[in-house]
Amino acid sequence: MPSIDIKEFIALVAGFLIIVNHLNYIRTILAHRTKPHFFSWLIWTITQCTAATAVIVGGGGIAGFAIFMAATLVCSIALLSLKYGTKNIRKRDGLMFITALIAIFVWWQLDHPFLAIILISIVDIIGYILTLLKINHDHHSEPLTYWSFDLLTYVLLVTALAEYNFLTSAYLIAMCVMSVVTVGFLTYRRFLHF
């Protein structure tokens, strides 16, 4: 009887959590309890597809496929945010989105995977900043459970990597850090900021 590798098992658990967490997020959007920021989710669609490719090419194994699955669900949320998302898009949001697009264009022109991962991580962080600004304005527009499970899945994906190198782990570690920031800020705004 073939045994399953512990890293493969962790990646499968992360993949399952990604599906459940994103489907629950979509459910909260359709129930009008969550108002995603369109630019954030569009940025994350582009960066997660790119990161999944880099992790797969870099030898990250099944974790790269879990990230790609997440990118598909993130794309669905971006599309839903056109109808159900926040409507208070500000000038700074547009400027940050244009900055992200410029960074993506620069990344596409590079033939250097290390610089590409740095740029794609920065672009992804811009998406987080846009959502953090939205949370600051309306801290009930995002579910704390989604962001908490998002953090858990990134930690599991880092653990599940078949190889640890800059190409496979830099993006995932950056996303762990931003998930911690998002959970912390959302908790502060919702429960500790009077």
Side-chain angles (χ1 to χ4, degrees), residues 96-164:
M96 291 184 85
F97 181 68
I98 289 168
T99 302
L101 290 179
I102 290 169
I104 289 167
F105 177 76
V106 169
W107 169 79
W108 283 338
Q109 301 307 310
L110 293 175
D111 190 22
H112 198 285
F114 293 108
L115 291 177
I117 285 296
I118 291 170
L119 268 177
I120 220 63
S121 296
I122 290 169
V123 171
D124 213 71
I125 289 168
I126 290 172
Y128 275 93
I129 291 170
L130 290 170
T131 291
L132 289 169
L133 290 169
K134 180 186 71 92
I135 289 169
N136 191 47
H137 176 71
D138 181 7
H139 53 275
H140 290 288
S141 66
E142 290 291 334
L144 182 57
T145 54
Y146 170 80
W147 294 102
S148 300
F149 276 101
D150 192 55
L151 170 59
L152 176 60
T153 57
Y154 279 121
V155 169
L156 289 173
L157 288 172
V158 169
T159 306
L161 288 172
E163 267 187 55
Y164 291 96

Side-chain angles (χ1 to χ4, degrees), residues 37-192:
H37 191 285
F38 172 68
F39 287 157
S40 293
W41 289 95
L42 182 59
I43 288 169
W44 293 330
T45 297
I46 296 166
T47 58
Q48 286 200 3
C49 286
T50 304
T53 303
V55 170
I56 291 167
V57 169
I62 196 168
F65 294 103
I67 298 168
F68 188 75
M69 181 177 46
T72 304
L73 292 165
V74 167
C75 181
S76 301
I77 294 169
L79 293 173
L80 284 171
S81 70
L82 287 170
K83 180 175 182 179
Y84 299 103
T86 185
K87 303 298 182 217
N88 61 342
I89 302 294
R90 299 181 176 165
K91 186 184 232 181
R92 68 164 186 241
D93 297 337
L95 291 173
M96 291 184 85
F97 181 68
I98 289 168
T99 302
L101 290 179
I102 290 169
I104 289 167
F105 177 76
V106 169
W107 169 79
W108 283 338
Q109 301 307 310
L110 293 175
D111 190 22
H112 198 285
F114 293 108
L115 291 177
I117 285 296
I118 291 170
L119 268 177
I120 220 63
S121 296
I122 290 169
V123 171
D124 213 71
I125 289 168
I126 290 172
Y128 275 93
I129 291 170
L130 290 170
T131 291
L132 289 169
L133 290 169
K134 180 186 71 92
I135 289 169
N136 191 47
H137 176 71
D138 181 7
H139 53 275
H140 290 288
S141 66
E142 290 291 334
L144 182 57
T145 54
Y146 170 80
W147 294 102
S148 300
F149 276 101
D150 192 55
L151 170 59
L152 176 60
T153 57
Y154 279 121
V155 169
L156 289 173
L157 288 172
V158 169
T159 306
L161 288 172
E163 267 187 55
Y164 291 96
N165 56 54
F166 184 80
L167 197 57
T168 62
S169 58
Y171 172 80
L172 291 174
I173 290 170
M175 296 312 96
C176 283
V177 170
M178 290 312 298
S179 292
V180 167
V181 169
T182 304
V183 168
F185 187 65
L186 190 53
T187 302
Y188 168 75
R189 287 293 289 135
R190 191 168 293 174
F191 301 111
L192 304 174

